[in-house]
Amino acid sequence: MRQYLLKSILQIVPVLFLISIIVFVLVYVTGDPVSLMLSDTATDEDREILIAALGLDQPMHIQYFRFLGNMLQGDFGTSFRYDMPALPIVLERLPATFELAIAAMIVATVISIPLGILSATKRNSFLDIFVSGASVLGKAMPHFWLGIMLILLFAVEWKTLPVSGRGSWDHLILPAFTLGTGIAAEMTRLIRSSMLEILGQDYIRTARSKGLIETIVVYKHALRNSLIPVVTIMALQTSTLIGGTLITETIFSWPGMGQLIIQAVNTRDMAIVQAAVFVVAFLVIVSNILADILYRVLDPRIKYN
Amino acid sequence: PAQPSGNKETTQPAAQNGDKVLTIASGSDIVTFDIHDHNNTSTEAVHVNMFDYLVRKDAQQKVQPDLATEWETVNDTTWRFKLRQGVKFHNGDEFTAEDVKFTLERVATDNKLLEYGNYKQIKEVKVIDPHTIEIITHAPEPVLLNRLSRLGSGILPSKYIKEKGWDEFLKNPVGTGPYKLEKWVRDDRLTLVKNDEYFGEKPKWDKVVFRSIPEDATRVAELLTGGVDIAVNIPPSDLQRIKDNDGTDTKQGPTQRVMQLTLRLTPGTVTENPKVREAIDLAIDKQAIVDNILAGGGVPTRTRVTPGNFGTNLDLYNKTLYDPEKAKQLLAEAGYPNGLELTLNATSGRYLKDKETAELIQAMLAEVGINAKLELLEWSKFNEKYKAKKFDEVFMIAYGNSMFDASLAFDRLTTERSKGESDYSNPELDKLLADGEKNMNMEEREKQYKQAQEIIAEERPHIYLYQMNANYGVSDRINFEPRLDEMLFVDEITLK
Amino acid sequence: MSLPLESQTAQAGSVGQAVKKPGQLRRLARMLLKSKTGTIGLLIVIVVVFMAVFASAIAPHDPAKTQAAQRLKPPMWMEGGSPANPLGTDNLGRDVLSRIIYGSQVSLMVGVCAVAVAGAIGVVLGLVSGYFGGIVDNLIMRTVDSFLAIPNILFMLVILTVLGPSLTTLILVLGFTNWVKYARIIRGEVLSVKERDFVRAARTVGASDGRIIFTHILPNVISSFIVVSTLSVATTIIAEASLSFLGLGIQPPTVSWGGMLSDGRQYLATSWWVATFPGVAITITVLGIMFLGDWLRDILDPRMKARAK
Amino acid sequence: MDQTKEPLLVVKGLKKHFPFKKGMFSKETGYVRAVDGVDFTVYRGETLGIVGESGCGKSTTGQMILQLLEPTEGEIWFEGRNLSTLGKAEVRTLRQHLQMIFQDPYSSLNPRMRVEEIVAEPLRVHGTHKGSELKEKVVELLRLVGLDAHHMSRHPHEFSGGQRQRIGIARALALNPSLIVCDEPVSALDVSIQSQVLNLLKKLQKELKLTYIFIAHGLPAVKHISDRIAVMYLGKIVELAERDELFANPRHPYTEALLSAVPIPDPTQRKERIVLQGDLPNPANPPSGCHFHTRCPYVQDVCRQTAPTLTEGTAGHFVSCHFPLGQS
Amino acid sequence: MEANLLEVKHLRTHFKTEDGVVPSVNGVSFSVAKGETLAIVGESGCGKSVTSLSIMGLVAPPGEVVGGEIWLEGQNLLALSKKELRKLRGNKLSMIFQEPMTSLNPVFTIGNQLGEVFRQHRQMDKKEARAHSIEMLDHVGIPNAEKIVDSFPHQLSGGMRQRVMIAMALACNPALLIADEPTTALDVTIQAQILELLKKLNKEFQTGVILITHDLGVVAEMADRVVVMYAGEVVEQADVFSLFAEPKHPYTKGLLGSLPKLDENREELDSIPGSVPNPLDMPDGCAFHPRCPAATEECKQNKPQLQEVALNHLARCFYA
Ligand SMILES: Nc1ncnc2c1ncn2[C@@H]1O[C@H](COP(=O)(O)OP(=O)(O)OP(=O)(O)O)[C@@H](O)[C@H]1O
Ligand SMILES: Nc1ncnc2c1ncn2[C@@H]1O[C@H](COP(=O)(O)OP(=O)(O)OP(=O)(O)O)[C@@H](O)[C@H]1O
Ligand SMILES: [Mg+2]
Ligand SMILES: [Mg+2]
């Protein structure tokens, strides 16, 4: 296991390197931030000075290597909006986003596992069709629309939950549902099909031939196996999940990274954008590794291959 | 309305353990505590509660003493101020003339600061004694008091900043105002607590929370559920709903902002032709825009110098021209009997209902045969093109006027400044403006500006559409009157 | 020779499912009708395509025609509604029904073109990566990993903010951010098809790499591509809506469902129909495409076919 | 096979080691010794059978001969030329004479192609036939394997397993090969179909003067079709002899056990078997010395230490054992 | 009849597929006596597995037992409730499957899966179950059972896994064991091991065994009696000696003739032309007639019945 971990950590390196290129190019093509940084009345000379100060007059590859070098030291530049180093600003927002993403994941899991199992075991029943329909619906609703609807219903109409902001656990419910619904829909479909496949396996027939009660057959023998592929595919959803926080956080005025990113992009605060993209990418990669580890725990076959 | 069962500390604005808490929601967080390096009205609306100016405007926009108790003009370029004694910053430092010198000279000399342009007129701040200063300007400055009672003029603690450094100040800002910072969670909330040491009237609230809620629907929902006491920037379509709701009401008030079209007079463009410009003006039914899109929340105008500003030409205010038939005729005369094409750039999501307004304008122009290609840009992109002066024939933008003086309204119309943007040039106007700028004879000055407004209304490098209202949603438990400058002096807000 | 070969060949027809050409279509149709959801899906997609193609003929009004006096009229069955605007009007007095009909053009166009762009890039890279392996594979897959690590919306947000939204950029950006999905899937399929004996057989007869890729591998991986891309059309339609929320969707006067939904959200509480009907249109279309995709997956999955035998 | 024996294919010291990494940092990499030093000669017109248990390297050997896998070591001489020293173009022409029939009739035909395209592909690739000539050739090939011209327009899934195998054979015959490697061509087929295919292969061999390498793990089938038989165990040939000689006098203990393990379809001949204990060892970690020593009923100390080499005992009967049977 | 452990009468199991009803098992009858080994042979798809699954009550939709009776020690299994049947499975009635590689759950240890049987049917606790599992593993000749009990299936070879399957099936000392092609996936030398083991256990426990296979060699080696199936029907039934000595049905004859044998050299094998008919499109009359060298008009029109053609030797042919 330790070896595996080391190996995966080493594998991150080229990916992070490629990401650094992508990020750099994104920012590079964004054009110069200079005009946004200058006051209305600045002269051309002021402009030149600032450009030189930022090193924007140098060739692209030089700029890239300087960017890379700084980045390796954790320096993503200074946010001109906050006039502070970008990375701490991003990291400061991480806990909020984390909290939201994990809550959403829990919501998704709690919804999807029972539904997925039920619709697989009761295949083609009314319930199955209902669940399929609901999961398509879950995917078809854009976050912003769902979020506003939830606010209108639960907060404004029924007054059962707070509208927005971050605070106690009940502030978390609506945004977590908003963010988790799409994932839940995806997961339900996955669990269902994975479960259907597993239920057709020989060892399920073996389990039945031993006279085991159906509950054990489904929840012991089938579920564990069907979660194995789900885990990996879900890890791929981390990036969707974090992407979803951009909009969800804006709707619920949740002070996380998502909102920060949107505002940074809107104000062309590219240092923040760079740092944030990097942090997000790193998170996604780490969560993929975690999923891989979980995969190994769930499936003993892997360890020995 | 019933309170949500949510966390008491974070959402419930009402008194808890006897504290009086006011919660205000706006669409965006404050930008920074560097009062010189932003030009954001809603940030200043918060700052005014923490920092004091030398002089401040009251609710009627009359200049009142604040940190300065008296002032006089020594000569055309020198103003003397007597400073209030016994005032303390939130950290306990005493307020002295050094602080004023530090503050004003910083913004007047550092050209990287966003407010530099509005203060570079100041040449020097001379400390006469610890409680007397003289401000010396490069040229005569008729509007100095206006300048000093607005964004960028809050007095900073020079000792604190020199000792602890600017970074520390940004983290723990300190002013002389009635409220001091308790906590700032970016993009979430900024909490102020009362400053018991405040020199003026005792602060009325124990705690004030400014929440940032970017999504309109969410902000309205917070107001309706009692999560906030005041919600800024209410979409017109929700006004009725807030009125109908038990426990909430709306307040609307005029602002300094005027929505306008900037037209290009660059040779070779269709809008070079004055008849075309006039046709565009006549084609747009401003009243309809105000009535339908803004739910009545605005006043059509033909000038940017709206009442409350020095130099208003009331002949042009609350007036509008709308005559599509004449517009068609003008087009025909201009040589476009079959209509013409142009590009209209506008923002999307920057101003209240900007997108809808532009869409409606596009439709109205189409009625008279002007086929406007609408290019809606999200603000940062718009701003980039704006600064690079890369727009085509027409762009739509709203300007405010924090100076409350006509001069600012013309700052983009001189031959020099309009180069590349509207490419408008009128020597007569140039002269009027140059004179007005340093004319210390107020009566004469007013005349100059009134005349300038007439020229613009006639030649139309800018077509003014309407003065915008600010829409607030307000809880019934408090008294609140909107200010023309949109500042939120929380001590002007009271519990019923 | 005791083998009565003739009698044996005569049998072939009845043994293998002797399906002749026209029968194949009929068989497909029969399989379609057997699947309720597949049929519904196809019907929905047909209706939407019809709407998009004949928008100008079936829409009752010009979708861009504003009528200030007619703003926010409710649907015809509600008080104050009129048959002239069956689904009501929006905040500028434009006919919601007509806008939905025209909106289908953009939604479909964006969906289909973006998927085509993504598919073209993804399929080529996936084929190359899976077939040749080695360094090329490594490079492509690491690039895929990098792209996967950055949320699509973030990508689109940055690029569209920079370039400014237009139909073309939107399509290109959506395509450019989604290719990884195809590259991954196609590569996986190629890896498995590559090991099948018919590919070995092609190599023993001396077929070139190009021939193997295009005549043996590509046709056998294309069905997963079709399934995934169908589902992608659906997600792209939703993505356009999310971008509209961020102010980066299709720009007026072009109508898109996402744009309508996003603009209409301000009226959700007061004039629900402005945002609800485009929302319903998106949902139904997505539902239809997904049903169709699921059905395609079922019939194109060789395992399924084997089971049906 | 008498004096006219002309070697068509000579395999010398053929090895294939599939590498696998043991860990990221331990430099040490392991090898699956799929084929671990194999020598044999195939004479023109004969059938060489290769038997052995699953994983012993039969298919890998076959694939190396066909250049589908690159040997780790060793030489393959075909028609007197060393394949590994030839240029690409030469291999391409030479390869026409080397063909393969695969085990799984379901995966060896491209499901998206018509029978006509499948059978015509080799002709097309080498550009030997064009247009109507091509079509005629396809019809001829199909006839040869007992299929009809009207099958040409069908897809593989419309055929039964036996018929598919015939299509595969037709494809292999298209380029007039001299050597065909048959990798378990009948093990996936039903009992009653197996004999059809075996008969067909025999008939074609006679008519077209083909040479076969026939790989299988079903001993009866191998015996039926082969002239000589090689027995493989864990990547090595342990015994190679004329068919009848091998069955009459197995000299390697493994061959003996293998023969004894095959159930005879005659209830009157139930017998005491030699049941080998234990499982086939892992080719990634083969036993020291003689690979078979872990399961050999006659194991001696020397077997654990030194690996025996394949040596010719009686004429044409090779065995790799320190203590070959029947020597007393 | 009381001697018979299992009595299957006119069993019919159908699959309702999209293309039509597949009558996989179409009126099959046979019996198994205590301690007897009955072999069922036939080509792929003739209904062997479906027959055995029907006995176990494990036919999954769209399959359904639509007729017949299955009597096990005086109980009609088809009349039992699901719960009652479940209690019999793994207990009195057990089964091993063809694919030892996929028949064990990859994510649980051998001990866990084996112990389950004891816990389900013998109400043992975990410790007891484990002890018994080790004992059972010992019994089927697994060396080092203490260690193997904690390993996962993938750590075992195919032969070992099949032994585990056998241990699992015999755990509760069943009256009837169904072995569905237990050695097809194994190598010859391993197959020999397993067959020996089955023989030994069969003697030891006096279990009735149904051995399903398509390998006539295995049949000759193991069976007391043989049932030959073709297209969902029994076409011949006899004791193993008479069947091999004097096959009565042309299909059986063809099968025997088509086998290459180790002890004889023939230039050419006999073969049965054509292939198994499509179950959706069964020929009229005798199902075998299209492939039968001796078919007559009668065979094309009428369906022959299974009849006794010699003492205790049944065949479904007009001309047997
Ligand atoms: N591409 C590969 N990579 C790694 N190992 C391989 C590869 N191909 C085959 N092997 C290993 O090489 C050994 C020999 O494989 P091969 O397929 O030649 O056996 P075989 O004798 O044909 O067996 P079977 O009878 O099962 O077909 C096996 O242990 C197998 O796992
Ligand atoms: N799930 C199913 N759906 C449809 N038909 C099925 C299904 N399972 C089995 N059948 C049909 O039932 C028939 C008998 O199948 P069965 O598995 O009993 O054959 P078998 O004799 O065991 O063959 P094999 O030797 O290949 O195991 C076949 O024709 C098959 O097509
Ligand atoms: Mg092989
Ligand atoms: Mg079977």
Side-chain angles (χ1 to χ4, degrees), chain D residues 53-54 192 195-196 199 223-224 247 270 273 276 278-279, chain E residues 43 157 187 189 193 196 220-221 223 262 269 271-272 291:
Chain D
E53 286 177 277
S54 180
S192 69
S195 56
Q196 293 174 5
N199 284 344
K223 181 183 177 212
H224 176 75
F247 279 81
R270 291 185 185 172
R273 318 152 164 272
L276 290 177
D279 291 316
Chain E
E43 280 174 284
S157 67
D187 278 320
T189 57
Q193 293 173 2
E196 288 298 311
E221 196 81 29
L262 280 186
L269 301 168
S271 68
I272 309 173
R291 303 176 72 189

mmCIF file of all heavy atoms in Angstrom, chain D residues 53-54 192 195-196 199 223-224 247 270 273 276 278-279, chain E residues 43 157 187 189 193 196 220-221 223 262 269 271-272 291:
data_model
loop_
_atom_site.group_PDB
_atom_site.id
_atom_site.type_symbol
_atom_site.label_atom_id
_atom_site.label_comp_id
_atom_site.label_asym_id
_atom_site.label_seq_id
_atom_site.Cartn_x
_atom_site.Cartn_y
_atom_site.Cartn_z
ATOM 1 N N GLU D 53 -0.866 -27.862 -20.588
ATOM 2 C CA GLU D 53 -1.951 -27.278 -19.819
ATOM 3 C C GLU D 53 -2.020 -25.778 -20.013
ATOM 4 O O GLU D 53 -1.078 -25.148 -20.501
ATOM 5 C CB GLU D 53 -1.778 -27.642 -18.345
ATOM 6 C CG GLU D 53 -2.140 -29.096 -18.113
ATOM 7 C CD GLU D 53 -1.908 -29.516 -16.695
ATOM 8 O OE1 GLU D 53 -0.768 -29.856 -16.356
ATOM 9 O OE2 GLU D 53 -2.874 -29.508 -15.922
ATOM 10 N N SER D 54 -3.113 -25.251 -19.585
ATOM 11 C CA SER D 54 -3.366 -23.828 -19.724
ATOM 12 C C SER D 54 -2.198 -22.994 -19.193
ATOM 13 O O SER D 54 -1.695 -23.248 -18.108
ATOM 14 C CB SER D 54 -4.635 -23.514 -18.947
ATOM 15 O OG SER D 54 -4.923 -22.184 -19.051
ATOM 16 N N SER D 192 -20.260 -32.411 -31.373
ATOM 17 C CA SER D 192 -20.629 -32.959 -32.683
ATOM 18 C C SER D 192 -20.079 -32.112 -33.817
ATOM 19 O O SER D 192 -20.005 -32.559 -34.952
ATOM 20 C CB SER D 192 -22.144 -33.075 -32.787
ATOM 21 O OG SER D 192 -22.714 -31.805 -32.839
ATOM 22 N N SER D 195 -15.758 -32.670 -34.814
ATOM 23 C CA SER D 195 -15.296 -33.639 -35.797
ATOM 24 C C SER D 195 -15.439 -33.101 -37.213
ATOM 25 O O SER D 195 -14.627 -33.386 -38.086
ATOM 26 C CB SER D 195 -16.040 -34.962 -35.639
ATOM 27 O OG SER D 195 -17.424 -34.739 -35.738
ATOM 28 N N GLN D 196 -16.469 -32.268 -37.463
ATOM 29 C CA GLN D 196 -16.608 -31.660 -38.801
ATOM 30 C C GLN D 196 -15.375 -30.835 -39.136
ATOM 31 O O GLN D 196 -14.802 -30.948 -40.226
ATOM 32 C CB GLN D 196 -17.821 -30.720 -38.849
ATOM 33 C CG GLN D 196 -19.158 -31.399 -38.720
ATOM 34 C CD GLN D 196 -20.279 -30.362 -38.638
ATOM 35 O OE1 GLN D 196 -20.055 -29.162 -38.769
ATOM 36 N NE2 GLN D 196 -21.492 -30.832 -38.416
ATOM 37 N N ASN D 199 -12.190 -32.908 -39.554
ATOM 38 C CA ASN D 199 -12.198 -33.573 -40.864
ATOM 39 C C ASN D 199 -11.856 -32.595 -41.976
ATOM 40 O O ASN D 199 -11.098 -32.916 -42.891
ATOM 41 C CB ASN D 199 -13.573 -34.193 -41.137
ATOM 42 C CG ASN D 199 -13.765 -35.480 -40.332
ATOM 43 O OD1 ASN D 199 -12.799 -36.052 -39.830
ATOM 44 N ND2 ASN D 199 -15.004 -35.921 -40.199
ATOM 45 N N LYS D 223 -4.079 -35.972 -31.014
ATOM 46 C CA LYS D 223 -3.594 -37.254 -31.510
ATOM 47 C C LYS D 223 -4.179 -37.547 -32.876
ATOM 48 O O LYS D 223 -3.497 -38.023 -33.782
ATOM 49 C CB LYS D 223 -3.976 -38.363 -30.529
ATOM 50 C CG LYS D 223 -3.442 -39.693 -31.026
ATOM 51 C CD LYS D 223 -3.806 -40.864 -30.190
ATOM 52 C CE LYS D 223 -3.252 -42.100 -30.872
ATOM 53 N NZ LYS D 223 -4.080 -43.265 -30.637
ATOM 54 N N HIS D 224 -5.443 -37.244 -33.013
ATOM 55 C CA HIS D 224 -6.110 -37.567 -34.262
ATOM 56 C C HIS D 224 -5.470 -36.878 -35.448
ATOM 57 O O HIS D 224 -5.320 -37.454 -36.517
ATOM 58 C CB HIS D 224 -7.582 -37.172 -34.170
ATOM 59 C CG HIS D 224 -8.343 -37.363 -35.440
ATOM 60 N ND1 HIS D 224 -8.727 -38.603 -35.878
ATOM 61 C CD2 HIS D 224 -8.754 -36.478 -36.378
ATOM 62 C CE1 HIS D 224 -9.358 -38.478 -37.025
ATOM 63 N NE2 HIS D 224 -9.383 -37.188 -37.355
ATOM 64 N N PHE D 247 2.404 -41.969 -27.664
ATOM 65 C CA PHE D 247 1.305 -42.572 -26.908
ATOM 66 C C PHE D 247 1.661 -43.969 -26.413
ATOM 67 O O PHE D 247 1.233 -44.393 -25.344
ATOM 68 C CB PHE D 247 0.032 -42.602 -27.757
ATOM 69 C CG PHE D 247 -0.674 -41.282 -27.755
ATOM 70 C CD1 PHE D 247 -0.250 -40.258 -28.586
ATOM 71 C CD2 PHE D 247 -1.729 -41.049 -26.885
ATOM 72 C CE1 PHE D 247 -0.865 -39.027 -28.567
ATOM 73 C CE2 PHE D 247 -2.352 -39.820 -26.854
ATOM 74 C CZ PHE D 247 -1.925 -38.793 -27.702
ATOM 75 N N ARG D 270 -12.457 -48.236 -17.262
ATOM 76 C CA ARG D 270 -12.090 -47.412 -16.102
ATOM 77 C C ARG D 270 -10.824 -47.972 -15.495
ATOM 78 O O ARG D 270 -10.634 -49.170 -15.403
ATOM 79 C CB ARG D 270 -13.206 -47.456 -15.053
ATOM 80 C CG ARG D 270 -14.451 -46.746 -15.508
ATOM 81 C CD ARG D 270 -15.496 -46.700 -14.440
ATOM 82 N NE ARG D 270 -16.707 -46.089 -15.005
ATOM 83 C CZ ARG D 270 -17.861 -46.035 -14.368
ATOM 84 N NH1 ARG D 270 -17.985 -46.548 -13.164
ATOM 85 N NH2 ARG D 270 -18.890 -45.466 -14.939
ATOM 86 N N ARG D 273 -5.822 -44.112 -12.244
ATOM 87 C CA ARG D 273 -5.060 -43.075 -12.920
ATOM 88 C C ARG D 273 -3.841 -42.711 -12.125
ATOM 89 O O ARG D 273 -3.772 -42.933 -10.922
ATOM 90 C CB ARG D 273 -5.880 -41.791 -13.027
ATOM 91 C CG ARG D 273 -7.275 -41.973 -13.392
ATOM 92 C CD ARG D 273 -8.082 -40.838 -12.812
ATOM 93 N NE ARG D 273 -9.375 -40.828 -13.487
ATOM 94 C CZ ARG D 273 -9.555 -40.171 -14.596
ATOM 95 N NH1 ARG D 273 -8.585 -39.472 -15.111
ATOM 96 N NH2 ARG D 273 -10.724 -40.208 -15.182
ATOM 97 N N LEU D 276 -1.779 -36.437 -10.667
ATOM 98 C CA LEU D 276 -0.711 -35.540 -10.216
ATOM 99 C C LEU D 276 -1.219 -34.708 -9.052
ATOM 100 O O LEU D 276 -2.353 -34.231 -9.058
ATOM 101 C CB LEU D 276 -0.300 -34.598 -11.347
ATOM 102 C CG LEU D 276 0.446 -35.240 -12.501
ATOM 103 C CD1 LEU D 276 0.714 -34.184 -13.551
ATOM 104 C CD2 LEU D 276 1.746 -35.842 -11.995
ATOM 105 N N GLY D 278 -1.143 -31.375 -6.614
ATOM 106 C CA GLY D 278 -0.792 -29.958 -6.713
ATOM 107 C C GLY D 278 -1.195 -29.315 -8.031
ATOM 108 O O GLY D 278 -1.762 -29.950 -8.912
ATOM 109 N N ASP D 279 -0.910 -28.020 -8.090
ATOM 110 C CA ASP D 279 -1.307 -27.228 -9.251
ATOM 111 C C ASP D 279 -0.111 -26.899 -10.114
ATOM 112 O O ASP D 279 1.025 -27.036 -9.695
ATOM 113 C CB ASP D 279 -1.927 -25.910 -8.787
ATOM 114 C CG ASP D 279 -3.250 -26.142 -8.114
ATOM 115 O OD1 ASP D 279 -4.046 -26.930 -8.641
ATOM 116 O OD2 ASP D 279 -3.462 -25.540 -7.040
ATOM 117 N N GLU E 43 -25.284 -31.541 -26.073
ATOM 118 C CA GLU E 43 -24.507 -30.422 -26.580
ATOM 119 C C GLU E 43 -24.915 -29.122 -25.910
ATOM 120 O O GLU E 43 -25.948 -29.040 -25.260
ATOM 121 C CB GLU E 43 -24.708 -30.310 -28.096
ATOM 122 C CG GLU E 43 -23.861 -31.305 -28.841
ATOM 123 C CD GLU E 43 -24.165 -31.286 -30.307
ATOM 124 O OE1 GLU E 43 -25.204 -31.817 -30.710
ATOM 125 O OE2 GLU E 43 -23.367 -30.697 -31.034
ATOM 126 N N SER E 157 -5.848 -21.303 -7.059
ATOM 127 C CA SER E 157 -5.907 -21.734 -8.446
ATOM 128 C C SER E 157 -7.296 -22.295 -8.741
ATOM 129 O O SER E 157 -8.098 -22.503 -7.830
ATOM 130 C CB SER E 157 -4.870 -22.821 -8.686
ATOM 131 O OG SER E 157 -5.239 -23.967 -7.947
ATOM 132 N N ASP E 187 -7.909 -27.876 -16.340
ATOM 133 C CA ASP E 187 -6.962 -28.629 -17.144
ATOM 134 C C ASP E 187 -7.084 -30.118 -16.870
ATOM 135 O O ASP E 187 -7.589 -30.531 -15.828
ATOM 136 C CB ASP E 187 -5.544 -28.185 -16.796
ATOM 137 C CG ASP E 187 -5.196 -26.925 -17.537
ATOM 138 O OD1 ASP E 187 -5.569 -26.815 -18.711
ATOM 139 O OD2 ASP E 187 -4.578 -26.048 -16.926
ATOM 140 N N THR E 189 -5.051 -32.487 -15.981
ATOM 141 C CA THR E 189 -4.521 -33.105 -14.763
ATOM 142 C C THR E 189 -5.309 -32.671 -13.538
ATOM 143 O O THR E 189 -5.475 -33.426 -12.590
ATOM 144 C CB THR E 189 -3.032 -32.752 -14.564
ATOM 145 O OG1 THR E 189 -2.897 -31.333 -14.539
ATOM 146 C CG2 THR E 189 -2.180 -33.329 -15.671
ATOM 147 N N GLN E 193 -7.908 -34.792 -10.775
ATOM 148 C CA GLN E 193 -7.960 -34.647 -9.320
ATOM 149 C C GLN E 193 -9.386 -34.493 -8.828
ATOM 150 O O GLN E 193 -9.826 -35.139 -7.878
ATOM 151 C CB GLN E 193 -7.167 -33.414 -8.871
ATOM 152 C CG GLN E 193 -5.666 -33.485 -9.071
ATOM 153 C CD GLN E 193 -5.000 -32.135 -8.755
ATOM 154 O OE1 GLN E 193 -5.652 -31.174 -8.364
ATOM 155 N NE2 GLN E 193 -3.688 -32.102 -8.940
ATOM 156 N N GLU E 196 -11.546 -37.616 -9.189
ATOM 157 C CA GLU E 196 -11.219 -38.582 -8.133
ATOM 158 C C GLU E 196 -11.880 -38.183 -6.817
ATOM 159 O O GLU E 196 -12.444 -39.004 -6.098
ATOM 160 C CB GLU E 196 -9.700 -38.668 -7.915
ATOM 161 C CG GLU E 196 -8.946 -39.367 -9.040
ATOM 162 C CD GLU E 196 -9.376 -40.814 -9.220
ATOM 163 O OE1 GLU E 196 -9.439 -41.549 -8.214
ATOM 164 O OE2 GLU E 196 -9.660 -41.220 -10.377
ATOM 165 N N ALA E 220 -18.249 -41.792 -18.971
ATOM 166 C CA ALA E 220 -17.844 -43.191 -18.901
ATOM 167 C C ALA E 220 -17.099 -43.464 -17.607
ATOM 168 O O ALA E 220 -17.230 -44.521 -16.998
ATOM 169 C CB ALA E 220 -16.956 -43.525 -20.095
ATOM 170 N N GLU E 221 -16.363 -42.481 -17.180
ATOM 171 C CA GLU E 221 -15.539 -42.615 -15.991
ATOM 172 C C GLU E 221 -16.375 -42.633 -14.706
ATOM 173 O O GLU E 221 -16.077 -43.354 -13.772
ATOM 174 C CB GLU E 221 -14.604 -41.417 -15.963
ATOM 175 C CG GLU E 221 -13.428 -41.527 -15.051
ATOM 176 C CD GLU E 221 -12.307 -42.326 -15.700
ATOM 177 O OE1 GLU E 221 -12.185 -42.332 -16.953
ATOM 178 O OE2 GLU E 221 -11.573 -42.938 -14.951
ATOM 179 N N ALA E 223 -20.213 -42.176 -14.271
ATOM 180 C CA ALA E 223 -21.660 -42.325 -14.097
ATOM 181 C C ALA E 223 -22.084 -43.773 -13.861
ATOM 182 O O ALA E 223 -21.415 -44.714 -14.284
ATOM 183 C CB ALA E 223 -22.365 -41.773 -15.323
ATOM 184 N N LEU E 262 -8.165 -42.110 -28.117
ATOM 185 C CA LEU E 262 -6.724 -42.247 -27.942
ATOM 186 C C LEU E 262 -6.229 -43.596 -28.423
ATOM 187 O O LEU E 262 -5.106 -43.732 -28.866
ATOM 188 C CB LEU E 262 -6.370 -42.073 -26.466
ATOM 189 C CG LEU E 262 -6.306 -40.636 -25.961
ATOM 190 C CD1 LEU E 262 -5.814 -40.620 -24.540
ATOM 191 C CD2 LEU E 262 -5.402 -39.799 -26.844
ATOM 192 N N LEU E 269 -13.122 -38.893 -38.918
ATOM 193 C CA LEU E 269 -14.078 -39.128 -37.840
ATOM 194 C C LEU E 269 -15.478 -39.142 -38.411
ATOM 195 O O LEU E 269 -15.756 -38.471 -39.418
ATOM 196 C CB LEU E 269 -13.976 -38.002 -36.812
ATOM 197 C CG LEU E 269 -12.605 -37.839 -36.163
ATOM 198 C CD1 LEU E 269 -12.549 -36.542 -35.395
ATOM 199 C CD2 LEU E 269 -12.335 -39.025 -35.239
ATOM 200 N N SER E 271 -19.227 -37.803 -38.253
ATOM 201 C CA SER E 271 -19.677 -36.552 -37.662
ATOM 202 C C SER E 271 -21.162 -36.394 -37.884
ATOM 203 O O SER E 271 -21.722 -36.971 -38.814
ATOM 204 C CB SER E 271 -18.909 -35.379 -38.246
ATOM 205 O OG SER E 271 -19.261 -35.218 -39.592
ATOM 206 N N ILE E 272 -21.752 -35.632 -37.028
ATOM 207 C CA ILE E 272 -23.168 -35.329 -37.186
ATOM 208 C C ILE E 272 -23.233 -34.035 -37.979
ATOM 209 O O ILE E 272 -22.703 -33.011 -37.545
ATOM 210 C CB ILE E 272 -23.843 -35.132 -35.818
ATOM 211 C CG1 ILE E 272 -23.530 -36.309 -34.902
ATOM 212 C CG2 ILE E 272 -25.329 -34.938 -35.993
ATOM 213 C CD1 ILE E 272 -24.024 -36.101 -33.481
ATOM 214 N N ARG E 291 -30.753 -33.685 -38.879
ATOM 215 C CA ARG E 291 -29.348 -34.078 -38.831
ATOM 216 C C ARG E 291 -29.186 -35.603 -38.856
ATOM 217 O O ARG E 291 -28.077 -36.109 -38.777
ATOM 218 C CB ARG E 291 -28.710 -33.530 -37.546
ATOM 219 C CG ARG E 291 -28.819 -32.022 -37.401
ATOM 220 C CD ARG E 291 -28.254 -31.555 -36.083
ATOM 221 N NE ARG E 291 -26.791 -31.643 -36.048
ATOM 222 C CZ ARG E 291 -26.066 -31.458 -34.943
ATOM 223 N NH1 ARG E 291 -26.673 -31.207 -33.786
ATOM 224 N NH2 ARG E 291 -24.764 -31.548 -34.980
#
